[in-house]
Amino acid sequence: MPGLSEKCVIVTGSSSGIGQATALLFAGKGCHVTVCGRDASRLQDTLERCKQQAATNGHTKSKFISVLGDLTDAAVRTSVVEQTVQAFGSIDVLVSNHAVAAAGDTVETITEEAFDRTINTNLKSGLFLLQTAVPHLGKSKGCVVYVSSIANFCCTKKGLFAYALAKAGLEHMVRSMALDLGPKGIRVNCVSPTFVKTRIFRELYPDPAQLDAFGSLYEEATPLHGLPSTPLEPAQAIVFLASDEARLISGGSLRVDGALMCKGNPPNFI
Ligand SMILES: NC(=O)c1ccc[n+]([C@@H]2O[C@H](COP(=O)([O-])OP(=O)(O)OC[C@H]3O[C@@H](n4cnc5c(N)ncnc54)[C@H](OP(=O)(O)O)[C@@H]3O)[C@@H](O)[C@H]2O)c1
């Protein structure tokens, strides 16, 4: 993919799942990458794998750093931006991918504390991370990709109420950001993945049999049958939106769901 080599990229939530797959793809294309998360050992694993991926692809000059911490904390967001600029000299791409999900959140049962935690993590911290990075993204005419979800389209029957609300907010926020930041040459888009078996869902479904059953529901309901839904599918869409090939794409949302949402609603979430 042209135009990605030596770009300076931040991928939040890259200690596992879709974020890790995204960081590895950027590393394989010769980018300098900042990986972020709260779990030190998982983050170190991503960092090592990025280095290996770059070496395998002959990118010997690529640099990688990790920034540990909770992105709901303003000091951590500042640190992510400052450490990236210090290490690489600029920021070309910001991928805001981090999120949490808590089962059992319904309109009737959600507590104020649980609501704040989800909205702060999944929506607010992504806004203020971008705000901190804007001066650098303006200089580089950079771009931003948020990771939303097909959950943004629909109200779930049980659970994940605040998660879906935050994702719906994210989709709208991306359109406002594209309008506000377009004159600075900054593009903003989001990617909306379907179900992928990652840690976020393993924590929602600790029973592997239940998780497999849930995965089968999605497979059966997806019109594009028989294709895998792995972290790589959304990661590839993220990398495309970050590339120069997407230079006129801003304010958009790219579904990676095998046409599932053309039906109007996914299978039951919880
Ligand atoms: N899996 C799916 O089916 C699916 C479907 C649609 C959309 N998505 C979206 O895809 C994105 C990635 O999720 P995933 O499926 O790859 O799950 P995952 O493996 O659990 O990844 C979530 C990442 O977010 C990080 N994170 C969570 N809270 C954080 C905080 N407060 N500060 C900093 N980092 C934080 C986690 O890092 P630590 O644990 O190290 O803190 C982890 O790296 C999320 O936005 C999710 O909503 C997932």
Side-chain angles (χ1 to χ4, degrees), residues 31 34 42 52 69 96 101 106 132 156 173 189 225-226 255 263:
C31 299
T34 299
R42 280 197 291 262
Q52 279 167 18
S96 184
T106 72
T132 309
T156 58
M173 193 167 79
N189 289 291
H225 258 307
R255 275 190 287 113
K263 290 179 160 181

Side-chain angles (χ1 to χ4, degrees), residues 150 153 192-195 222-224 254-262:
I150 56 167
F153 289 100
S192 297
T194 184
F195 169 70
T222 299
L224 254 180
L254 183 53
R255 275 190 287 113
V256 185
D257 72 343
L260 180 61
M261 291 312 294
C262 294

Side-chain angles (χ1 to χ4, degrees), residues 154-200:
C154 49
C155 298
T156 58
K157 281 196 175 164
K158 276 206 293 176
L160 295 182
F161 153 68
Y163 177 88
L165 178 66
K167 295 299 187 185
L170 203 57
E171 298 264 339
H172 191 79
M173 193 167 79
V174 159
R175 292 189 285 271
S176 298
M177 288 170 162
L179 286 181
D180 283 359
L181 301 176
K184 292 184 190 293
I186 303 171
R187 298 187 295 111
V188 189
N189 289 291
C190 61
V191 163
S192 297
T194 184
F195 169 70
V196 185
K197 211 183 275 179
T198 59
R199 204 160 45 84
I200 212 168

Side-chain angles (χ1 to χ4, degrees), residues 231-245:
L232 190 59
E233 278 70 42
Q236 282 169 330
I238 293 166
V239 171
F240 163 67
L241 286 172
S243 74
D244 290 349
E245 289 177 343

Side-chain angles (χ1 to χ4, degrees), residues 13-19 36-39 42 69-72 97-100 121 147-150 163 167 193-201:
S14 41
S15 54
S16 59
I18 293 168
C36 319
R38 295 166 303 176
D39 184 282
R42 280 197 291 262
D70 187 327
L71 286 162
T72 60
N97 160 76
H98 61 285
V100 288
T121 308
V147 179
S148 174
S149 163
I150 56 167
Y163 177 88
K167 295 299 187 185
T194 184
F195 169 70
V196 185
K197 211 183 275 179
T198 59
R199 204 160 45 84
I200 212 168
F201 266 97

